[in-house]
Amino acid sequence: MELEDGKREPVDPEVRAYIYSIVSAVGGTGADESGRYVLGDDVLGCLKDLKRWLKLYDERLNRLDVARCLAEANLVTGDLLPIIALWKEDEVESAFKSKLALACLELLVPLTWPLEKDDLEMTVNHHRHFPYLQRSHLFYKRGILNHDAAKILRTAVRVALPSMSLSRGDRSSRDEGIIKLVLYFIRNIAIISQPPNLPVEGDEEEVSRSATINAFHQQDVFALVLTIASNINEDFDTQDAVLIEILYHLVKGVDPEQLFSSDEERQEKKSLELRDLLQKEAGMNREYARTAPTRHNRFGTMIWVKRNDNKVSTLSGQDTITNSQKALHKMDASKKWNRPKYHGKSSQPEKSDFDVKTSLKPLAVEHLRVFVEEFLDSGFNPLFDHMRKAIERQADRILNAHSKQFFYLIGWFLRAERTRRRAQLKKHMESKQDFEADSFALVASVLNQETFIGLNRFMQLGIDNKEWEELHAGMLCFTQILLIIQEMTVSPLEEDQEIAENIQNRIFYEETTHDRVIGILRDYKEQGFGYLDACTDLAYTFLRMLEAYSRQNVDLQVRSRRRDRRKKAAQANGQSKVEQNAQDEEDEEEIRQADIVSRERKFDFTRFSARFITQKVVDTFVKFTNYYRDLNYEQLKRAHRYFYRVAFKQEMGVLLFRLDIIALFNKMIKGPEGLPVKNEIYKDWEELTRQIFKKLIKKTEQRPELIIELLFSKINTSLFYLQHGYEKEITKKSKPKPPARLEVKPGRSHEDQVNIVVAALSLEDKNQLLWWMDQVLEKAANERKSWEDEAAARQLMQSESNPDHADNSADTSKAPTIFVSPNNDNCKTAMFKDNKLRLLLELMGFERLGGDDEIGATWIIPSAISSEELSKFRGLVKKYENEIPIECQEQEIDPRDLIRRINKPAPARRDISDESGEFDIDLDALFPAGGPTARKSDHPDERKKKRRKRHSKEMDGEDGSEDEAAREARRKARAKANLEKQKKVKSELFVHASDDESDEERDREFFAQEEERRKKQAQTVSTLIALAIGQEEGGKSKKRKENNGEDIVASKRRRNSSLIINSDDGPLSWHESSSPHQQISRDITTDTPFSSQDLPDEHSKKGQTGDVIDVTSDVDMKGIDRENEVEQEEEEDDDDDDEPVAVVHRRRLGGFVIDSDSE
């Protein structure tokens, strides 16, 4: 509704009329009653109607209209407080007035409820009413704390006493509601404070923190809080969260050292603060006096400075002429940076409540000190232990803000306990009395492992969700825990020292805590000065305590946790789609989430402290040092010690060689606006700055490149170069190679091979692997047995249900594949690197998915292995785990000597091709791996020289007339003949050691046949010897007969004739040899090996064996060789047309070369 002047009504007039009518019916001040408040006829009904309006209109519709109308009607100070004041303190029992006071509290709680701004839920209505309601809250609090007729807070406490006197089991829900109502009312009064965006009306001290603390002390509110806190676990259960809020809003921003200092100390502190302010003022005056105007320089001065870009800067003032630094400073001050505006939600939080310092009046300090001491002695442990459990189980009453308040209060009260102990020690030292230190058991509830786990989780959530205020509270808490532990280590009580040792071991054991502290410091980004102070304080305290603890405990172990993401086993090579889908379903959750692998390692403080020396951490401390004019002694000392560690302890001063850092250090010492010379830590900073500049000059002389690098932050590569003068060598880690494959020497059964490998593993002290193998086999046998029983039962049911097809009812499905999983990292590594373990798995029939060089490949038990076989293997593993096989015992052989390495095949050769590319031959087919062994030439060196000389003459021709085409034709002919010769050579590669594992009966039959062949050959040889001797004696004129009907035209070569004998049923035949020696050989075109031992079994069975006998006398061989030298030289030109013959060395026996099976 709009008014006549165009303004809009803030509240609906109809709603305002209803509210005003109800407020007028509550009561009022009567003229005839001397100003005493008179209740209305139905005051309880009116109060209930107002409560109903607040609930049904404001809360349900999310509006503030009713609260605005009640504030305008002055309901609280004009009606509710006078009604509560009617209940006098001397009236112990008054049911009606007690009901009236309770009804007033039911209205006061929602009317004083804190107003929270939420941009997502606030409407125009909220923005319209918020300032007025905030102003009204101040009036409410002023009236409650400073009421003339009665003590309102004490009356509220009296309302809750009857319900509190009952035991927890006897209380009704109404009693619990009354207690909670009173506590919320006290909480609201503690929260209300002067808003920073509203003008102050009236006396601000009437609603200050000091006035609140004094009122709580005088009106028994502190006594109520202490009573509930000390009995929170016995008589009270759900009031812990409200108590935490009350304590938080009472002590936030209060310095605990202010509470436990005497009046003299407080006066001295104020004097020191005044002295510091006066020194700052004197320094400012001196700076101003240097360039202050006098009567002689009142005239205006303006100069122009021409820059490199031909632009002109204008400066005014005579100080620009006399002081060049002042001129440059003025130029810098005139520069403006148009910073880009960020239109999104600001990531920089508002100023935290922790950063707002609150000063208290002396009387309030005394009252709060008494309350804090009593609370530490009686209520701290019960309340905080109960609250921690409620936060862990995420009770419904716990809100997000409660965790922040909980950890902030832990830090605050721990600091208060430390301050109280120092004050007590100082007091006893001044009085020269014996001082018996108290135990730290008063704060033991927050020094247990559960609290540390909750704190770590809370801080990590703050980091992950970027909730900086929550993280700020966690850092304050963690810092005070470390400091209280440090004091416990020097406690005269041995019990406290042992507890401190245990707590430090727990805190420093987790490497995640180390990483979190470094990460917080490294990731600072404009979260405010309070957050910056807290993170630097935490890092400084943590690093200092860890250094001291690591010196005392040289063998300190830390647990590091790393995420180990494993590949899907189903994606390995050789796995079927069905198995892949099954594995995906089983391991879906494991694959989606990363496994956290924990490992223990020895702690190295040097390595850890180096992680603090990075450019980002240095930048964080530089930002902290920029506030040097506002820092106290401890804060300046913290920054000084860090920069000293960087420059001298870690020898990383290059990180400080940057223009802005150097300028900051110079400004702190030389000014303008530097540290006061009388500051306690000024000399330390002066010496540090001088040494850093000295190192900078020296390093610049060594590395002139540093002059350019002064402009930039240092990256790792440039940092290493500036330190050492050369680039850092980057070495790539090579991929681990698979181990060499092994095998058991042949001639042993499969069971003996398994026994030998198990015994070898046992002798190498690898019983852990054998124990794991036993567990795997047991589990796999049980699983496979269960499947077999199920398959048999299923087959039986099918046969019973369908007897006609009983024979065809067998279950054709295969057993599911069983995956072999290592039980730890050592076992996983052994499955890849231990070749004996891999040999054992292969002998048992296990299969490996993936390539040999794949580290994370999976081993499986295939479907073909039955449960009986698995049980058998398990029995062998258990038997020979601590026993040596009988064979090794009898022969006194180490089982490891029976295991040999499988040689790798020779690498494949390249294809042969001539220059024209006409001959492309696959040498893998002609000469597979393991082919004929290379041998030296049989020709003497003299013969080679003659052949080369003759070959050179023939190539050139007698008159040099032979053309290139003829030479090319001869070359191709030789290559073709060579190829045909190589094709006929057979390798012994195809004869395996497994041939020895043949059947004994078949071997017996084979050797019997060979014996018969030997007898026939011996008889034939003796006949031929006699025949040869007779022919020699007959004379040289005797002509040789035809061989197979053909005449042999003999020259001197006829002495080199060969005789071929096919054993068994082959005819006796003569054949002229192409070799310079006489040989009795099989036809070379038969493509069979050179001996019967090299034949496969099927050739042996068929009797397709050619026996070769070379018959030549020792005397004749020499003569033949001499006579054939000349003929061999004549026949070299015809080599291309001759049939190639493989040269085979045979043993000599009685003047003959015999190739026999007995070899």
Side-chain angles (χ1 to χ4, degrees):
M1 179 179 178
E2 295 185 0
L3 301 177
E4 295 179 356
D5 55 357
K7 294 183 179 180
R8 183 178 178 83
E9 280 274 1
V11 181
D12 188 358
E14 187 175 357
V15 175
R16 188 191 302 272
Y18 276 111
I19 298 301
Y20 280 6
S21 62
I22 298 174
V23 171
S24 62
V26 171
T29 303
D32 55 345
E33 298 292 338
S34 301
R36 187 169 60 88
Y37 189 85
V38 179
L39 298 175
D41 296 336
D42 191 9
V43 60
L44 287 176
C46 294
L47 294 176
K48 290 181 180 179
D49 289 343
L50 292 175
K51 177 185 174 183
R52 194 176 295 114
W53 267 95
L54 285 171
K55 184 176 181 180
L56 298 179
Y57 191 85
D58 276 7
E59 294 183 13
R60 180 171 295 182
L61 300 178
N62 192 23
R63 298 177 67 86
L64 300 175
D65 293 345
V66 177
R68 173 71 177 266
C69 293
L70 294 176
E72 293 175 350
N74 197 20
L75 174 68
V76 174
T77 57
D79 295 290
L80 297 183
L81 297 183
I83 293 174
I84 294 175
L86 293 177
W87 191 9
K88 302 298 182 181
E89 295 184 6
D90 53 356
E91 297 180 10
V92 180
E93 295 182 359
S94 177
F96 177 69
K97 292 182 179 180
S98 176
K99 288 183 178 180
L100 283 177
L102 181 59
C104 292
L105 285 177
E106 290 177 346
L107 281 175
L108 283 173
V109 169
L111 290 176
T112 58
W113 198 268
L115 300 173
E116 298 178 357
K117 292 184 177 181
D118 189 352
D119 296 337
L120 299 178
E121 297 182 359
M122 289 184 65
T123 62
V124 178
N125 180 275
H126 291 82
H127 289 283
R128 183 183 299 117
H129 298 317
F130 248 65
Y132 190 88
L133 292 179
Q134 287 178 338
R135 175 175 168 273
S136 301
H137 283 179
L138 294 176
F139 285 108
Y140 298 161
K141 183 175 183 178
R142 184 179 288 108
I144 292 171
L145 296 180
N146 304 293
H147 197 272
D148 299 333
K151 297 181 178 180
I152 304 300
L153 294 175
R154 179 175 293 177
T155 305
V157 173
R158 290 171 62 190
V159 172
L161 289 179
S163 299
M164 293 175 57
S165 61
L166 300 175
S167 62
R168 190 169 66 177
D170 296 337
R171 291 193 200 118
S172 62
S173 58
R174 182 176 181 275
D175 294 327
E176 294 288 349
I178 291 174
I179 297 174
K180 189 178 294 185
L181 184 71
V182 174
L183 291 176
Y184 274 121
F185 174 63
I186 296 172
R187 189 273 316 256
N188 296 345
I189 299 302
I191 291 177
I192 296 174
S193 60
Q194 175 66 40
N197 56 341
L198 293 180
V200 178
E201 297 185 11
D203 189 1
E204 187 178 0
E205 292 297 330
E206 293 180 354
V207 293
S208 64
R209 185 80 62 85
S210 298
T212 304
I213 292 174
N214 292 333
F216 280 10
H217 176 76
Q218 296 169 3
Q219 301 185 33
D220 300 333
V221 175
F222 282 155
L224 174 69
V225 173
L226 289 173
T227 301
I228 298 177
S230 58
N231 298 278
I232 192 66
N233 202 20
E234 299 175 359
D235 297 332
F236 305 96
D237 184 33
T238 60
Q239 291 79 18
D240 48 2
V242 187
L243 290 181
I244 289 294
E245 291 189 63
I246 294 173
L247 293 173
Y248 172 75
H249 292 287
L250 280 176
V251 303
K252 68 175 181 180
V254 178
D255 188 3
E257 296 182 357
Q258 183 182 0
L259 301 181
F260 296 96
S261 58
S262 60
D263 295 338
E264 295 79 6
E265 292 175 346
R266 285 195 290 269
Q267 291 295 333
E268 182 181 0
K269 186 177 181 180
K270 290 182 179 179
S271 300
L272 292 176
E273 291 177 354
L274 179 60
R275 186 195 64 184
D276 293 339
L277 291 175
L278 292 176
Q279 289 179 355
K280 290 182 180 180
E281 183 182 10
M284 294 173 62
N285 291 334
R286 283 195 300 271
E287 290 290 337
Y288 178 73
R290 293 177 182 176
T291 58
T294 63
R295 64 176 182 173
H296 300 292
N297 60 1
R298 292 176 184 173
F299 307 102
T301 303
M302 179 177 292
I303 64 174
W304 293 331
V305 179
K306 190 174 182 180
R307 302 198 298 266
N308 294 334
D309 52 0
N310 295 326
K311 293 184 179 180
V312 178
S313 298
T314 304
L315 300 177
S316 61
Q318 291 186 357
D319 53 349
T320 59
I321 301 176
T322 59
N323 192 341
S324 60
Q325 186 176 3
K326 189 72 174 179
L328 295 176
H329 179 68
K330 282 189 175 183
M331 288 182 62
D332 292 339
S334 63
K335 297 177 182 178
K336 292 183 179 180
W337 178 37
N338 294 327
R339 188 171 186 173
K341 297 180 180 179
Y342 177 66
H343 299 287
K345 184 178 179 180
S346 177
S347 60
Q348 183 176 357
E350 296 180 358
K351 194 171 184 179
S352 175
D353 294 339
F354 315 145
D355 304 336
V356 180
K357 300 299 181 182
T358 302
S359 59
L360 302 178
K361 297 293 183 180
L363 184 60
V365 169
E366 183 65 23
H367 292 161
L368 185 59
R369 181 187 63 80
V370 174
F371 168 72
V372 169
E373 287 184 339
E374 293 179 353
F375 179 76
L376 285 171
D377 295 337
S378 61
F380 182 83
N381 280 340
L383 176 61
F384 280 85
D385 186 63
H386 194 271
M387 186 66 181
R388 175 185 57 78
K389 294 178 181 179
I391 293 175
E392 288 179 353
R393 64 174 179 267
Q394 297 180 355
D396 295 337
R397 64 181 181 276
I398 302 300
L399 304 177
N400 294 333
H402 289 153
S403 298
K404 177 189 70 174
Q405 297 169 358
F406 171 74
F407 288 110
Y408 174 81
L409 287 176
I410 289 178
W412 193 93
F413 279 105
L414 288 180
R415 185 181 177 190
E417 175 65 16
R418 291 174 48 241
T419 307
R420 181 174 69 158
R421 286 176 173 272
R422 288 200 301 268
Q424 291 176 352
L425 179 61
K426 184 178 180 180
K427 182 178 180 181
H428 283 81
M429 291 178 63
E430 290 177 354
S431 60
K432 298 181 180 180
Q433 297 179 358
D434 295 336
F435 175 68
E436 295 182 1
D438 297 332
S439 173
F440 284 87
L442 296 176
V443 292
S445 61
V446 297
L447 299 178
N448 50 24
Q449 185 67 13
E450 291 80 3
T451 304
F452 299 149
I453 294 174
L455 177 59
N456 289 331
R457 185 187 303 116
F458 177 73
M459 294 178 66
Q460 190 61 45
L461 285 176
I463 295 173
D464 296 340
N465 300 331
K466 297 185 178 181
E467 297 173 347
W468 308 124
E469 193 168 352
E470 283 74 5
L471 182 57
H472 187 183
M475 289 189 294
L476 293 175
C477 176
F478 194 21
T479 303
Q480 295 304 320
I481 288 177
L482 293 175
L483 292 174
I484 201 81
I485 292 171
Q486 186 179 18
E487 293 191 3
M488 291 175 66
T489 56
V490 296
S491 174
L493 301 178
E494 294 184 1
E495 183 180 0
D496 290 342
Q497 295 179 8
E498 294 177 358
I499 294 174
E501 178 75 17
N502 189 17
I503 293 174
Q504 287 186 91
N505 190 18
R506 290 179 180 179
I507 292 176
F508 298 140
Y509 177 66
E510 296 291 343
E511 193 178 26
T512 54
T513 305
H514 306 180
D515 299 338
R516 187 179 300 112
V517 173
I518 297 174
I520 292 173
L521 192 63
R522 182 181 62 242
D523 298 336
Y524 171 77
K525 292 180 181 179
E526 306 298 336
Q527 283 92 352
F529 174 76
Y531 181 93
L532 179 61
D533 182 29
C535 70
T536 53
D537 191 16
L538 173 61
Y540 172 73
T541 305
F542 186 85
L543 185 64
R544 187 162 48 88
M545 288 187 60
L546 183 55
E547 182 177 13
Y549 186 73
S550 61
R551 289 176 180 174
Q552 297 176 359
N553 299 270
V554 181
D555 298 330
L556 176 63
Q557 299 289 323
V558 295
R559 179 172 63 181
S560 60
R561 295 186 177 184
R562 294 290 182 266
R563 295 191 178 275
D564 184 17
R565 299 188 178 272
R566 298 177 296 179
K567 297 181 179 180
K568 294 182 180 180
Q571 295 178 352
N573 297 330
Q575 192 171 11
S576 64
K577 293 183 179 180
V578 177
E579 294 175 348
Q580 179 178 348
N581 295 334
Q583 181 68 12
D584 287 344
E585 293 176 358
E586 293 175 1
D587 300 341
E588 181 180 358
E589 191 66 25
E590 291 184 12
I591 295 171
R592 185 169 61 249
Q593 296 180 354
D595 295 334
I596 298 179
V597 180
S598 300
R599 297 183 181 88
E600 284 191 357
R601 62 174 179 83
K602 187 176 180 181
F603 178 74
D604 185 6
F605 179 77
T606 305
R607 177 184 174 187
F608 170 74
S609 60
R611 299 174 60 189
F612 277 91
I613 315 303
T614 61
Q615 190 66 64
K616 290 186 177 180
V617 178
V618 170
D619 292 343
T620 301
F621 271 92
V622 169
K623 293 176 182 178
F624 179 69
T625 312
N626 281 322
Y627 298 94
Y628 66 91
R629 295 181 64 85
D630 301 325
L631 301 182
N632 55 27
Y633 173 78
E634 292 296 332
Q635 293 169 334
L636 287 171
K637 179 182 177 182
R638 185 192 314 161
H640 176 273
R641 296 296 185 268
Y642 174 76
F643 291 125
Y644 177 81
R645 180 182 294 274
V646 172
F648 300 101
K649 282 190 174 183
Q650 297 292 336
E651 295 294 336
M652 295 289 287
V654 179
L655 289 173
L656 303 179
F657 298 160
R658 202 174 65 194
L659 283 181
D660 59 333
I661 302 177
I662 298 299
L664 174 64
F665 290 167
N666 181 69
K667 182 180 179 181
M668 290 176 64
I669 303 304
K670 300 297 182 181
E673 300 179 354
L675 279 175
V677 180
K678 294 183 180 180
N679 196 313
E680 298 176 351
I681 203 171
Y682 175 82
K683 291 185 178 180
D684 295 341
W685 274 100
E686 184 182 22
E687 181 64 21
L688 175 66
T689 303
R690 189 175 66 85
Q691 294 296 334
I692 290 177
F693 272 86
K694 187 177 179 180
K695 289 175 71 72
L696 174 60
I697 296 172
K698 184 177 180 180
K699 184 65 70 173
T700 306
E701 294 175 353
Q702 297 175 355
R703 312 273 189 272
E705 301 86 355
L706 183 58
I707 298 176
I708 303 300
E709 290 293 335
L710 287 174
L711 301 173
F712 310 102
S713 297
K714 309 301 183 293
I715 58 177
N716 292 333
T717 54
S718 62
L719 183 64
F720 187 88
Y721 176 78
L722 292 174
Q723 282 185 300
H724 302 88
Y726 58 88
E727 296 289 343
K728 186 176 181 180
E729 296 182 1
I730 301 176
T731 57
K732 296 183 179 179
K733 294 184 178 180
S734 59
K735 188 177 181 181
K737 297 181 179 180
R741 297 191 61 186
L742 302 178
E743 67 175 358
V744 181
K745 292 182 178 180
R748 293 168 180 82
S749 63
H750 186 265
E751 180 177 343
D752 292 339
Q753 294 181 15
V754 175
N755 299 342
I756 290 171
V757 178
V758 172
L761 287 171
S762 179
L763 291 175
E764 293 182 354
D765 295 332
K766 296 178 180 178
N767 294 325
Q768 290 293 335
L769 297 178
L770 295 176
W771 176 82
W772 166 77
M773 196 72 246
D774 177 64
Q775 299 294 323
V776 170
L777 290 172
E778 180 184 8
K779 181 180 178 181
N782 295 335
E783 183 177 345
R784 187 59 55 83
K785 180 64 176 175
S786 300
W787 185 89
E788 291 174 354
D789 293 343
E790 181 185 358
R794 187 166 57 249
Q795 180 181 354
L796 181 60
M797 293 176 59
Q798 292 177 359
S799 61
E800 291 177 355
S801 61
N802 194 1
D804 297 336
H805 302 280
D807 297 336
N808 300 327
S809 62
D811 191 359
T812 59
S813 62
K814 294 182 179 180
T817 300
I818 301 175
F819 290 87
V820 181
S821 301
N823 56 354
N824 53 33
D825 293 336
N826 295 332
C827 182
K828 181 180 178 181
T829 304
M831 291 176 69
F832 175 73
K833 291 187 176 181
D834 196 327
N835 47 10
K836 292 185 177 63
L837 178 62
R838 295 180 64 162
L839 175 59
L840 178 61
L841 295 174
E842 291 174 356
L843 290 174
M844 291 182 179
F846 293 12
E847 296 179 1
R848 192 172 189 269
L849 304 180
D852 288 341
D853 57 346
E854 187 175 350
I855 301 178
T858 305
W859 286 84
I860 64 171
I861 302 177
S863 306
I865 302 178
S866 63
S867 60
E868 295 180 359
E869 294 176 329
L870 293 173
S871 300
K872 176 184 175 182
F873 290 141
R874 185 186 176 221
L876 294 176
V877 171
K878 296 185 67 176
K879 179 179 179 182
Y880 291 97
E881 182 179 359
N882 300 313
E883 182 180 346
I884 300 177
I886 299 176
E887 177 186 358
C888 300
Q889 294 179 2
E890 293 177 352
Q891 301 180 8
E892 297 182 356
I893 300 175
D894 193 326
R896 290 170 288 187
D897 296 338
L898 299 177
I899 301 175
R900 68 183 183 184
R901 179 173 178 174
I902 300 178
N903 294 327
K904 293 183 178 181
R909 302 183 182 180
R910 295 184 302 174
D911 293 342
I912 299 177
S913 61
D914 63 343
E915 296 176 358
S916 60
E918 292 182 13
F919 297 96
D920 293 333
I921 305 159
D922 186 8
L923 281 182
D924 290 337
L926 296 178
F927 299 98
T933 306
R935 59 188 294 275
K936 294 183 178 180
S937 174
D938 295 329
H939 301 288
D941 294 339
E942 298 177 357
R943 192 184 309 169
K944 292 181 180 179
K945 293 179 181 179
K946 293 179 180 179
R947 185 170 65 246
R948 285 197 295 268
K949 187 180 297 183
R950 185 181 67 252
H951 181 69
S952 177
K953 291 181 180 180
E954 291 175 351
M955 292 298 293
D956 296 335
E958 295 180 358
D959 55 354
S961 61
E962 188 174 4
D963 57 351
E964 183 68 25
R967 288 196 295 271
E968 183 68 16
R970 291 171 62 85
R971 190 183 64 79
K972 291 183 179 180
R974 281 196 304 272
K976 185 176 181 180
N978 245 349
L979 178 61
E980 294 297 327
K981 178 180 177 181
Q982 292 171 358
K983 285 183 178 179
K984 299 181 182 302
V985 178
K986 290 297 179 180
S987 172
E988 293 182 357
L989 178 68
F990 303 102
V991 182
H992 303 284
S994 61
D995 294 343
D996 296 338
E997 302 176 7
S998 57
D999 197 1
E1000 294 182 1
E1001 185 176 350
R1002 187 182 65 184
D1003 293 344
R1004 195 181 302 110
E1005 180 181 356
F1006 169 75
F1007 287 117
Q1009 294 177 0
E1010 291 294 318
E1011 184 66 26
E1012 292 178 3
R1013 293 192 184 99
R1014 281 194 209 94
K1015 291 180 181 179
K1016 292 181 180 181
Q1017 290 174 358
Q1019 184 178 0
T1020 305
V1021 168
S1022 60
T1023 304
L1024 290 174
I1025 291 174
L1027 179 61
I1029 294 174
Q1031 290 177 351
E1032 288 292 334
E1033 293 176 353
K1036 296 182 180 180
S1037 62
K1038 187 177 180 179
K1039 303 293 183 181
R1040 292 191 178 277
K1041 300 294 180 84
E1042 291 180 352
N1043 186 17
N1044 291 333
E1046 294 181 6
D1047 292 333
I1048 306 298
V1049 180
S1051 62
K1052 293 182 180 180
R1053 282 187 302 172
R1054 61 177 176 262
R1055 300 177 184 178
N1056 297 336
S1057 60
S1058 300
L1059 182 65
I1060 298 177
I1061 300 174
N1062 288 330
S1063 62
D1064 296 340
D1065 43 336
L1068 181 64
S1069 60
W1070 292 95
H1071 182 69
E1072 187 176 3
S1073 174
S1074 62
S1075 172
H1077 303 279
Q1078 288 185 347
Q1079 296 181 351
I1080 302 174
S1081 174
R1082 291 175 295 180
D1083 188 357
I1084 200 165
T1085 60
T1086 55
D1087 288 347
T1088 55
F1090 294 118
S1091 67
S1092 61
Q1093 288 182 347
D1094 298 335
L1095 284 171
D1097 293 339
E1098 55 268 26
H1099 291 283
S1100 300
K1101 292 179 181 179
K1102 294 178 181 179
Q1104 298 174 357
T1105 307
D1107 300 287
V1108 180
I1109 303 175
D1110 192 353
V1111 185
T1112 309
S1113 64
D1114 293 338
V1115 180
D1116 293 337
M1117 286 295 295
K1118 297 179 181 179
I1120 292 171
D1121 287 341
R1122 287 193 298 270
E1123 294 175 1
N1124 287 340
E1125 283 183 9
V1126 179
E1127 294 178 5
Q1128 181 67 28
E1129 293 173 2
E1130 296 174 357
E1131 292 173 358
E1132 283 296 328
D1133 298 337
D1134 301 326
D1135 284 344
D1136 296 337
D1137 301 329
D1138 294 340
E1139 183 76 6
V1141 178
V1143 180
V1144 181
H1145 295 278
R1146 299 175 176 82
R1147 61 176 180 162
R1148 294 181 178 273
L1149 180 61
F1152 298 95
V1153 180
I1154 300 175
D1155 188 2
S1156 173
D1157 290 330
S1158 62
E1159 191 178 6

